[in-house]
């Protein structure tokens, strides 16, 4: 594939001894006992294999969580040979046959992360310990993703991250047992800045409102750096609590700040509320510094656009995927999801569906559910037909690289699901970065034995 870079285009070999030894440091005795019959934790012994779907069923990101769960259920159906097969028909290459994974029927258990790291770790721990889950996936918060990824590394199962956008997930907090398909904050900044320069010029003054946790911090940093590189000045950066609800106290100071752009580093219901309130305050009709005042939402989703309604019109942002893309993988998934649920899927749904298939395919190719063997199959894996074009799972940090979408609120939507238009599909070269820039150590795989 043309997206690969010199020196990173082939699967790297796991560190010496990692496959056999793993890391057993601080592993509870419970896990050691459960693994005694095999060389890895929760090795399935019957006719089924259990996956753990850990999503926000309550809290500010619950809308994303509900759609993630829909996608997971659809993925299980397709893996087990039910329905029309969805992306099993378009994924290239693939070893999946629609007869489960390694001849075992796929079952699942669920948990509610509540968009809280402690709750997410507790539900993931329960699925591993009590339900024998061999892989955990899900989440719509980077704080949750990092916490659960760490737990999975400690206990010895694979974590296939759901919606997590912080640079830290595959940066300073990356782990050998964790993999991310979703793009990150750095990629959003790299994709958005040229489009913002073209639309609004170089002479701009930006005011940031930022969700006060790992995702917001790295999103703010990435967008700040990217916009300052095109000549924008940063007037202020203000942190807001997750799930604040009422953002009026944070928006009021923007009016007299000297800024002419408001950047909302918010997601989920927080983005819906902050954007709606900013529009109600008249910011979209305001003039500042002789220019029209603008609002930018760096990370968008159709679900958020539906919540914000008219407020999203004309507002730029970035996205990992959009259901209106014209490619075989997207069309197959949208058809399957629409037939089952009566609506198009969100980017959160697509990410979680794809992550489930990627894990299952890696296990099938490895011929085992042993995490170390699955990791080896995923590292450096190149694939297509999953809705994002040619994609690489980079071995060095377990980050996927693919095109990034710049989107804008549709001025003339044709229906309630046509609220974002794709402005540009940004090529991989523009969002590529060296894995060392965010620090962290990937470490070695842990099979839990």
């Amino acid at each position: 594939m043309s997206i690969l870079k010199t020196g990173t285009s082939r699967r790297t070999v796991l560190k010496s001894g990692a496959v056999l030894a793993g890391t057993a440091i601080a592993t509870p005795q419970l896990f050691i006992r459960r693994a005694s019959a095999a060389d890895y934790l929760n090795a399935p012994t019957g006719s089924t294999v259990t996956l753990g779907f850990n999503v926000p069923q309550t809290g500010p990101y619950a809308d994303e969580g509900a759609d993630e769960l829909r996608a997971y259920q659809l993925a299980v159906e397709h893996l087990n040979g039910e329905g029309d097969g969805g992306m099993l028909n378009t994924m290239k290459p693939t070893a999946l046959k629609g007869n489960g994974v390694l001849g075992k029927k796929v079952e699942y258990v669920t948990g509610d992360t509540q968009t809280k790291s402690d709750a997410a770790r507790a539900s993931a721990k329960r699925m591993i310990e009590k339900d024998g889950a061999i892989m955990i996936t899900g989440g719509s918060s980077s704080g949750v993703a990092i916490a659960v990824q760490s737990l999975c590394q400690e206990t010895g199962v694979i974590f296939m991250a759901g919606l997590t956008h912080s640079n830290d997930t595959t940066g300073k907090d990356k782990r050998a047992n964790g993999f991310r398909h979703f793009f990150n904050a750095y990629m959003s900044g790299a994709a958005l800045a040229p489009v913002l320069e073209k639309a609004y010029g170089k002479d701009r003054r930006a005011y940031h409102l930022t969700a006060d946790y790992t995702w917001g911090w790295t999103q703010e940093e990435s967008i700040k750096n990217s916009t300052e590189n095109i000549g924008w000045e940063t007037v202020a950066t203000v942190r807001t609590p997750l799930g604040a609800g009422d953002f009026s106290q944070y928006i009021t100071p923007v009016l007299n700040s000297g800024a002419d752009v408001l950047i909302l580093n918010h997601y989920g219901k927080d983005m819906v509320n902050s954007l709606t309130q900013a529009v109600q305050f008249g910011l979209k009709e305001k003039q500042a510094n002789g220019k029209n005042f603008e609002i930018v939402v760096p990370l968008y989703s159709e679900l958020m656009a539906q919540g914000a309604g008219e407020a999203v019109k004309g507002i730029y942002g970035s996205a990992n995927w959009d259901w209106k893309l014209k490619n075989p993988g997207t069309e197959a998934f949208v058809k399957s999801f629409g037939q089952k649920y009566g609506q198009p899927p969100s980017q959160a749904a697509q990410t979680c569906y794809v992550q489930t298939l990627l894990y299952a395919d890696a296990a099938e190719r490895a011929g085992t559910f042993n995490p170390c063997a699955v990791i080896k199959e995923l590292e450096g894996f190149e694939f297509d037909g999953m809705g994002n074009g040619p994609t690489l799972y980079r071995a060095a940090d377990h980050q996927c690289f693919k095109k990034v979408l710049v989107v804008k609120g549709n001025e003339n939507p044709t229906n309630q699901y046509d609220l974002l238009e794709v402005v540009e599909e940004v090529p991989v070269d523009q969002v590529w970065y060296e894995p060392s820039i965010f620090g962290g150590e990937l470490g070695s795989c842990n099979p839990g034995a």
Side-chain angles (χ1 to χ4, degrees):
M1 291 183 185
S2 61
I3 67 169
L4 302 184
K5 303 290 181 177
T6 302
T8 58
S9 61
R10 293 294 179 261
R11 184 178 301 123
T12 58
V13 179
L14 293 175
K15 292 184 178 180
S16 177
V19 172
L20 295 177
T23 54
I25 298 173
T27 303
Q29 289 301 310
L30 171 64
F31 291 101
I32 294 174
R33 287 198 302 272
R34 291 195 62 157
S36 60
D39 59 352
Y40 61 96
L41 179 69
N42 288 343
T45 56
S47 60
T48 64
V49 60
T50 302
L51 307 182
F53 301 149
N54 205 22
V55 304
Q57 299 180 50
T58 56
Y61 294 171
D63 289 345
E64 279 73 21
D67 223 35
E68 288 177 342
L69 196 53
R70 294 182 192 106
Y72 283 134
Q73 292 166 341
L74 185 62
V76 168
E77 288 183 12
H78 290 168
L79 288 172
N80 287 332
E82 302 167 16
D84 61 9
M87 285 188 185
L88 263 67
N89 300 312
T90 61
M91 182 182 179
K92 299 176 183 178
T94 183
L96 295 170
K97 308 175 186 68
N99 62 347
V101 183
L102 297 176
K104 298 182 184 297
K105 182 179 180 180
V106 179
E107 296 185 343
Y108 67 90
V109 290
T110 66
D112 181 8
T113 70
Q114 303 174 40
T115 320
K116 297 176 181 176
S117 296
D118 289 346
R121 277 182 66 100
S123 58
K125 189 171 185 289
R126 182 261 302 165
M127 289 188 279
I128 296 168
E129 289 185 2
K130 298 187 183 304
D131 302 310
I134 199 159
M135 183 271 277
I136 301 295
T137 179
S140 289
S141 156
S142 291
V144 161
I146 290 168
V148 174
Q149 179 169 263
S150 178
L151 173 74
C152 290
Q153 181 69 42
E154 293 164 9
T155 55
V157 300
I158 295 288
F159 177 61
M160 301 295 285
L163 198 158
T164 168
H165 192 239
S166 171
N167 295 331
D168 293 344
T169 308
T170 48
K172 72 179 184 65
D173 294 309
K174 58 180 173 278
R175 296 290 184 270
N177 282 41
F179 290 83
R180 170 165 61 181
H181 178 264
F182 207 70
F183 70 143
N184 64 20
Y186 176 92
M187 296 177 187
S188 284
L192 265 175
V195 176
L196 296 177
E197 179 183 0
K198 194 180 303 181
Y200 303 139
K202 296 182 177 183
D203 182 22
R204 284 286 181 168
R205 307 187 75 216
Y207 192 111
H208 290 252
L209 292 181
T210 300
D212 193 11
Y213 75 105
T214 179
W215 167 68
W217 306 333
T218 66
Q219 176 68 90
E220 176 188 284
E221 177 186 35
S222 296
I223 297 298
K224 180 175 176 289
N225 290 343
S226 295
T227 54
E228 287 178 355
N229 285 340
I230 62 172
W232 289 22
E233 177 187 349
T234 303
V235 173
T237 56
V238 177
R239 304 288 168 84
T240 63
L242 187 63
D246 183 4
F247 290 90
S248 57
Q249 64 177 306
Y250 301 103
I251 296 170
T252 302
V254 178
L255 297 166
N256 300 310
S257 67
D260 47 49
V261 179
L262 173 61
I263 298 177
L264 295 174
N265 299 302
H266 292 153
Y267 197 75
K269 287 186 172 69
D270 282 355
M271 175 273 186
V272 171
N273 291 329
S274 64
L275 176 59
T276 301
Q277 289 163 25
V279 172
Q280 290 171 345
F281 271 68
L283 288 185
K284 285 179 77 173
E285 285 74 43
K286 181 179 170 60
Q287 289 267 321
N289 306 320
K291 306 175 182 69
N292 291 333
F293 198 97
E294 305 293 350
I295 303 174
V296 177
V297 176
L299 180 59
Y300 247 138
S301 81
E302 288 274 2
L303 293 173
M304 288 156 46
Q306 290 169 26
E310 294 280 321
V312 304
K313 289 187 174 183
I315 292 178
Y316 285 100
S318 66
N320 190 67
W321 175 84
D322 188 275
W323 70 271
K324 298 182 293 298
L325 291 173
K326 301 300 181 185
N327 60 65
T330 293
E331 290 166 359
F333 180 52
V334 170
K335 177 185 175 185
S336 296
F337 195 95
Q339 287 177 343
K340 185 171 178 65
Y341 300 114
Q343 64 188 53
S346 65
Q347 64 176 356
Q350 186 259 359
T351 294
C352 292
Y353 177 92
V354 167
Q355 283 284 72
T356 308
L357 265 57
L358 286 170
Y359 169 79
D361 180 70
E364 193 77 34
R365 286 184 285 116
T368 176
F369 293 104
N370 187 312
C372 295
V374 173
I375 288 168
K376 189 175 180 180
E377 291 297 327
L378 284 170
E379 286 186 328
F381 184 50
E382 306 166 46
F383 58 94
D384 202 347
M386 307 291 273
N388 297 99
T391 305
L392 165 70
Y393 239 134
R394 186 162 68 178
D397 54 2
H398 296 182
Q399 173 64 53
C400 267
F401 281 86
K402 55 195 183 304
K403 291 181 290 187
V404 171
L405 305 183
V406 174
V407 297
K408 185 172 71 168
N410 198 337
E411 297 281 6
N412 298 293
T414 56
N415 58 61
Q416 62 178 317
Y417 303 111
D418 182 33
L419 300 181
L420 297 179
E421 59 175 309
V422 177
V423 174
E424 194 169 324
E425 295 185 47
V426 179
V428 172
D429 285 348
Q430 188 175 319
V431 300
W432 184 270
Y433 59 88
E434 292 303 314
S436 60
I437 70 171
F438 296 123
E441 291 291 335
L442 194 63
S444 302
C445 79
N446 178 15

